[in-house]
């Protein structure tokens, strides 16, 4: 008895260690940037970070669901962009009701996820490949619709409701939305059968099949979730910036994968922590913001996020070996 | 008495490609009975178990549960009838808690349909409390990946026990990866379950265990039912004699022992690797075929893989032709003249979708290269043709894909590729697995021909008649150790098999397997 | 049982040749459609321009084909191409001789291939995600270096460099990069077919476990694949700046996608072990005729994304459905 409780304490640290590592990385990032710039930890800047974390935060949820079942979704960036473009275009070109257009744009996200889900679950295509192809297709569609130019929506007040409504002086609707959704997803992951079955399918697909779980449907719905979250992220971003930007989603896929992997999600599937994913998102967005703050040009982000992803994957791989 | 019969299987047939795994086997299990199922490797005991628990579907026959015919198509449907299995390969989700591992998709929920974690933990704890003392240290909230094999097995057992209607619980070689302590507590647990009225099917080749916990034992042989005995009315000698004496096979020409030279080609000293095998030593002479026999799980395959450096070993010294060598990977083994026909021909032996030419030249590309590392395709073709004719592989030509060959011919290609690569020492693991009788004889002849030409062969096999029919000398392993080293002169199956069972140990072997 | 097996083989054999037939069929259908819409599509000058514009992706497709045959994928090629071109251009600017500049470019390609190869073969990292991360790192480095501005390669100092890309040979009918591409195709086709390493790549891709048991140095072969891919990407990057006389920082944005699509449309199997450099060339032709044709019939640039995305989708789908049997 004594022996085993001792062992348990040691074992506990393996998970705790990981969380400590993530939080430490987060703290170091804050420290470095707050030394580099006195504005970094100012309230306004923290709000800015939170606001810009919204689209990525939403996309990371979908990516996390995919990764936990053991697949990658490469398409969320372009899904996000295209959802914004669809929303704006339906309003400007077809004079559609803002919220109907919103619903259609959101539905597009689910639809895109459904394509990825069907091709992966039933046609057995490698997920990263089909979503990669899908990403290019949506990229083309975006260009056809917009010609590569952003659609300015500042003349449509209703369009801005979602992204710019203030709850308090500093907290805007998107931040609230992000927090609510994270709480909901936290509960879905922890307290619903669907949420748990993602972990079971990713952890051991044979065990999941033997337990009678509908493995294919679960894989399908995790892509649908990813598509829906990506679309929502794109819509919030479009509304906040009052424009539908065709190229905004370029980095989202990688940043979302990085955020989830940094947040301790196992690439083979079976393990994830949605709260840690949120920290991962804050690390990615804080990095972006901090680099700006210390006046490093935007493209340092590419290097930073690429390096973070590389190192996170390397650490994870070596841990598993 | 009939009313007590919970599970009844009648006239079950099951065929796999090339093998009749079960032939008209019947079995009935009573309430509160521990029913042992034993037999030699390939006797059909696991197959029967898998049919009862829905992992395999039967070809014909009927299954009755409580006297009514049951339609078992999957693990799920078997579970609905209250039949559960603790499989040999335990399926565990390393990153989830013990409780979740137990419940998997059927977590208890609140009225709102949300998962009720408290209830899940307390239910899991309740199940745990019903288990023996050994289970009590298990924390249902800890992560499964951090626990020992014994705990994983407890998880599998608890998966079954959360079903309140459990009628039958089947174990497939449950102790093969457990420590003594863990095995002991498993037996206590089985005793408990028996007193609760659960019927237990216990598949094992460890006779000692059969005698210590079973009430009744059924013996199978070659997929056929032999007999069912009360454990109090039988002895281990009787059981063993029921298992052996399988159908007479033809093993080709008798092996001519005069080709064996005194020169020792390979000498392994004290090979050990974790709980897989310990202190295994053996010698192999020129022109000799050594059969390495043991029951499934005895560590034979693991040992020969360590010998060839296909997998890592912990310790051990290898001498080839009296020279001490240190082999780090198969490439080096290959260079020193060793060849390895793996047991899984389709995964490691062949490139199924590549041509025979490519398959044959693979281990010896140097032979068909010129000095600039350029392949001489014409030479390669001739090389491949030579390889094909070496053992008379039946094929439409060297460009045929390996997947298109029959099992026996595939095996001949694998043998041939190593022989063509000038290997003096061949390790062959289960060379006749899954191939038909005629082809088996051809493989035996091929091995004998090679020995005659001065090659040394170490043959791992689960087939006792095959070991007796082909080898010059037989080494028997049991639970990771060498237990017998016998010259194959007038040996009978009984002489060999007694070394393979654990009954000649006074205590169960210390397997030394911990966390 | 054996009858089933025979049927299975027969079918596989058919499929083997069907792959090729399919590739050529798509090519022919494409030519017919575009020619019927624009008669100039089939002219020599248009054909030459298709070849010329396909040079960079043509080379990259060889690298992708090699990686896919070996069982992996390399997403970093686009930025490696840009990066190598940039290094070569800077070397020239600094007054390095032509040969040295080109060597510098190749070194960049080999080095990045080395990093990816080591990460995959030694550390066991997921190739797809690793090369994706590397791509982003290179992209950032290029950004910082160039500020996103193209660099025009005018002036005496660039002349010998740019000449390689613009020289017309064979009586002024063919531009040199086309010849270079064809030569490299021949070299690699021969290499994959006749060289020990080429064969080993096929073997590792077919069944790396079996290859390991049979004494193939699986790790080094995997390393080689990525280094070859890096080398070819570097060559592609330099050739495009030679041809256009300017160094565009992000010229390689779509190279990986188009290269992978070309290799797959050319019949390279995602499961590894199967594919040929020669057929990859026809895959590249399919992709570039599609791009060229879409432009000729007046479709804007970005329809290419969709077309290639769909092409990739179909190519993968066609394969996976087959494997399910």
């Amino acid at each position: 008895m004594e022996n085993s409780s001792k062992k348990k304490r040691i074992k506990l640290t393996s998970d705790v260690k990981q969380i400590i590592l993530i939080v430490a990385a987060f703290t170091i990032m804050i420290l470095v940037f707050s030394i580099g710039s006195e504005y970094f930890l100012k309230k306004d800047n923290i709000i800015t970070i939170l606001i810009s974390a919204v689209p990525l935060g939403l996309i990371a949820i979908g990516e996390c669901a995919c990764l936990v079942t053991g697949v990658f979704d490469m398409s969320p960036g372009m899904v996000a962009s295209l959802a914004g473009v669809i929303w704006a275009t339906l309003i400007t070109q077809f004079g559609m009701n803002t919220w109907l257009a919103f619903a259609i744009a959101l539905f597009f996200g689910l639809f895109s996820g459904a394509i990825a889900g069907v091709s992966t679950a039933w046609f057995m295509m490698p997920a990263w490949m089909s979503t990669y192809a899908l990403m290019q297709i949506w990229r083309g569609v975006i260009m056809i619709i917009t010609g590569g130019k952003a659609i300015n929506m500042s003349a449509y007040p209703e369009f801005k409701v979602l992204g710019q409504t203030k709850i308090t002086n500093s907290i805007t609707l998107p931040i609230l939305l992000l927090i609510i959704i994270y709480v909901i997803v936290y509960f879905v992951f922890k307290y619903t059968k669907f949420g748990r079955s993602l972990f079971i399918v990713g952890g051991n697909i044979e065990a999941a099949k033997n337990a009678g779980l509908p493995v294919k449907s679960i894989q399908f719905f995790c892509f649908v979730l990813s598509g829906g979250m990506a679309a929502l992220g794109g819509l919030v971003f479009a509304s906040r910036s009052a424009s539908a930007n065709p190229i905004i989603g370029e980095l989202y896929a990688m940043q979302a994968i990085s955020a989830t992997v940094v947040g301790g999600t196992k690439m083979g599937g079976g393990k994830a922590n949605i709260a840690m994913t949120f920290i991962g998102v804050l690390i990615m967005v804080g990095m972006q913001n901090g680099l700006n703050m210390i006046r490093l040009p935007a493209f340092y982000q590419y290097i930073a996020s690429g390096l973070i992803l590389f190192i996170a994957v390397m650490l994870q791989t070596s841990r598993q070996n | 008495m009939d009313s007590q019969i919970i599970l009844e299987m009648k006239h079950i047939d099951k065929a796999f490609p090339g093998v009749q795994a079960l032939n008209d086997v019947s079995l009935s299990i009573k309430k509160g009975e521990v029913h042992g199922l034993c037999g030699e490797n390939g006797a059909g005991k696991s197959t029967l178990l898998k049919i009862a628990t829905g992992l395999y579907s039967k070809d014909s026959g009927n299954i009755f549960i409580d006297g009514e015919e049951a339609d078992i198509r999957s693990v799920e449907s078997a579970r609905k009838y209250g039949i559960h299995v603790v499989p040999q390969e335990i399926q565990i989700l390393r990153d989830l808690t013990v409780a979740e591992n137990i419940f998997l998709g059927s977590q208890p929920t609140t009225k709102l349909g949300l998962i009720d974690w408290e209830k899940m933990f307390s239910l899991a704890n309740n199940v745990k409390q019903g288990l023996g003392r050994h289970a009590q240290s298990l924390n249902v909230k800890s992560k499964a990946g951090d626990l020992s094999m014994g705990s994983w097995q407890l998880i599998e057992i608890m998966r079954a026990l959360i079903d309140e209607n459990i009628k039958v619980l089947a174990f497939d070689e449950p102790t093969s990866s457990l420590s003594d302590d863990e095995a002991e507590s498993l037996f206590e647990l089985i005793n408990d379950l028996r007193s609760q009225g659960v019927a237990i099917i216990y598949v094992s080749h460890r006779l000692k265990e059969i005698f210590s916990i079973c009430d009744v034992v059924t013996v199978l042989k070659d997929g056929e039912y032999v007999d069912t005995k009360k454990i109090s009315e039988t002895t281990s000698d009787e059981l063993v004699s029921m298992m052996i004496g399988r159908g007479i096979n033809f093993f080709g020409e008798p092996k001519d022992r005069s080709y064996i030279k005194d020169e020792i080609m390979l000498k392994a000293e004290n090979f050990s690797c974790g709980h897989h095998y310990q202190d295994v030593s053996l010698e192999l002479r020129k022109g000799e075929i050594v059969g390495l026999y043991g029951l499934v799980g005895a560590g034979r395959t693991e040992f020969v893989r360590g010998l060839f450096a296909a997998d890592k070993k912990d310790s051990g010294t290898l001498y080839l032709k009296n020279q001490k060598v240190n082999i780090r990977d198969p490439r080096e083994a290959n260079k020193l003249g060793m060849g390895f026909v793996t047991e899984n021909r389709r995964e490691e032996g062949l490139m199924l979708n590549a041509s025979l030419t490519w398959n044959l030249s693979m281990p010896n590309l140097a032979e068909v290269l010129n000095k600039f590392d350029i392949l001489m395709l014409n030479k390669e073709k001739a090389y491949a043709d030579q390889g094909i004719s070496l053992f008379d592989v039946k094929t439409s030509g060297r460009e045929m894909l390996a997947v298109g060959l029959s099992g026996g011919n595939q095996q001949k290609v694998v043998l041939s590729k190593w022989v063509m690569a000038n290997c003096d020492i061949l390790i062959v693991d289960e060379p006749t697995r899954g191939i038909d009788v005629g082809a088996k004889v051809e493989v035996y002849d091929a091995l004998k021909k090679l020995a005659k030409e001065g090659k040394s062969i170490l043959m791992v096999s689960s087939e006792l008649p095959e070991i007796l029919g082909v080898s010059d000398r037989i080494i028997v392993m049991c639970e990771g150790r060498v237990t017998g080293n016998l010259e194959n002169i007038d040996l009978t199956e009984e002489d060999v098999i007694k070394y393979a069972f654990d009954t000649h140990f006074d205590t169960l072997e210390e397997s030394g397997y911990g966390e | 049982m054996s009858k089933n097996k025979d049927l299975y083989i027969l079918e596989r054999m058919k499929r083997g040749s069907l792959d090729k037939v399919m590739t050529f069929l798509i090519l022919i259908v494409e030519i017919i459609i575009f020619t019927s819409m624009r008669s100039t599509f089939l002219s020599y000058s248009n054909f030459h321009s298709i070849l010329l514009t396909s040079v960079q992706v043509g080379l990259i497709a060889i690298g992708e084909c090699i990686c896919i045959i070996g069982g992996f994928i390399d997403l970093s090629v686009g930025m490696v191409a840009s990066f190598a071109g940039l290094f070569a251009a800077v070397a020239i600017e600094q007054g390095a001789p032509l040969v040295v500049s080109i060597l510098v470019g190749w070194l960049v390609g080999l080095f990045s291939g080395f990093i990816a190869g080591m990460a995959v073969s030694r550390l066991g990292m997921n190739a797809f995600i690793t090369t994706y991360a590397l791509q982003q790192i290179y992209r950032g480095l290029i950004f910082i270096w160039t500020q996103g501005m193209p660099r025009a390669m005018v002036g005496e100092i660039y002349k010998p460099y740019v000449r390689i890309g613009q020289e017309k040979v064979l009586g002024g009918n063919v531009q040199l990069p086309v010849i270079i591409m064809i030569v490299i195709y021949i070299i690699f086709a021969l290499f994959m077919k006749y060289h020990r390493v080429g064969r080993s790549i096929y073997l590792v891709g077919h069944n790396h476990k079996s290859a390991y048991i049979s004494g193939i140095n699986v790790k080094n072969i995997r390393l080689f694949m990525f280094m070859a891919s890096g080398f070819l990407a570097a060559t592609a990057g330099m050739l495009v700046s030679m041809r256009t006389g300017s160094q565009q920082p992000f010229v390689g944005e779509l190279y990986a996608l188009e290269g992978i699509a070309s290799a797959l449309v050319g019949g390279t199997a995602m499961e590894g072990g199967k594919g040929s450099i020669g057929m990859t060339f026809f895959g590249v032709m399919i992709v570039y005729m599609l791009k060229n044709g879409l432009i000729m019939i007046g479709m804007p640039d970005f329809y290419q994304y969709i077309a290639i995305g769909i092409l990739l989708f179909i190519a993968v789908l066609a394969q996976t459905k087959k494997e399910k049997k």
Side-chain angles (χ1 to χ4, degrees), chain A residues 16-36:
Chain A
V16 173
K17 225 194 262 167
Q18 197 179 8
I19 293 176
I20 291 172
L21 203 70
I22 297 164
V23 176
F26 186 55
T27 320
I28 289 169
M29 184 196 77
I30 292 174
L31 274 178
V32 168
F33 286 131
S34 50
I35 292 167

Side-chain angles (χ1 to χ4, degrees), chain B residues 308 310 329-331 334 347-351 353 358 361-363 369 373-375 377 380 404 417-418, chain C residues 1 5 8-9 12 193-196 199-200 202-203 206-207 209-217 271:
Chain B
F308 193 70
D329 61 21
R331 209 154 52 100
N334 188 355
E347 281 91 54
E348 290 185 313
L350 287 168
M351 314 238 158
N353 293 325
W358 283 23
S361 65
M362 176 161 63
L369 292 172
D373 266 6
I374 301 297
L375 289 157
L377 294 189
E380 191 185 19
K417 95 177 177 189
W418 288 114
Chain C
M1 180 57 204
K5 230 171 209 167
Y8 178 49
I9 303 149
R12 278 207 84 96
K193 186 158 187 204
Y194 289 103
H195 195 271
R196 176 180 62 84
R199 169 67 66 83
S200 302
Y202 278 104
L203 297 177
H206 258 302
N207 184 341
K209 283 185 189 164
S210 176
Y212 178 68
I213 293 285
S214 296
I216 307 274
N217 193 332
E271 58 180 342

Side-chain angles (χ1 to χ4, degrees), chain A residues 223-246:
Chain A
F223 278 104
V224 173
L225 175 72
S226 179
M229 284 295 167
L232 189 60
L235 294 174
V236 170
F237 185 85
S239 171
R240 192 190 87 215
S241 57
S243 78
N245 189 325

Side-chain angles (χ1 to χ4, degrees), chain B residues 357-377:
Chain B
T357 312
W358 283 23
N359 271 293
L360 283 161
S361 65
M362 176 161 63
N364 197 16
L365 278 179
E367 184 66 28
V368 293
L369 292 172
N370 67 15
K371 60 184 170 189
F372 304 109
D373 266 6
I374 301 297
L375 289 157
M376 292 175 286
L377 294 189

Side-chain angles (χ1 to χ4, degrees), chain C residues 13-23 322:
Chain C
M13 276 162 54
K14 269 196 224 146
R15 280 172 188 158
S17 53
L18 215 79
D19 278 340
K20 278 185 190 167
V21 173
M22 193 76 117
T23 306
K322 266 191 314 198

Side-chain angles (χ1 to χ4, degrees), chain A residues 198-252:
Chain A
L198 295 178
F199 288 78
I200 296 169
V201 170
N204 188 332
I205 197 158
E206 286 307 314
K209 279 180 192 159
N210 277 340
L213 290 173
V215 173
K216 285 183 189 295
S217 313
I218 290 163
Q219 283 173 336
F220 172 78
F221 278 112
C222 96
F223 278 104
V224 173
L225 175 72
S226 179
M229 284 295 167
L232 189 60
L235 294 174
V236 170
F237 185 85
S239 171
R240 192 190 87 215
S241 57
S243 78
N245 189 325
I247 54 155
I248 181 65
E250 203 61 72
L251 265 184
Y252 278 162

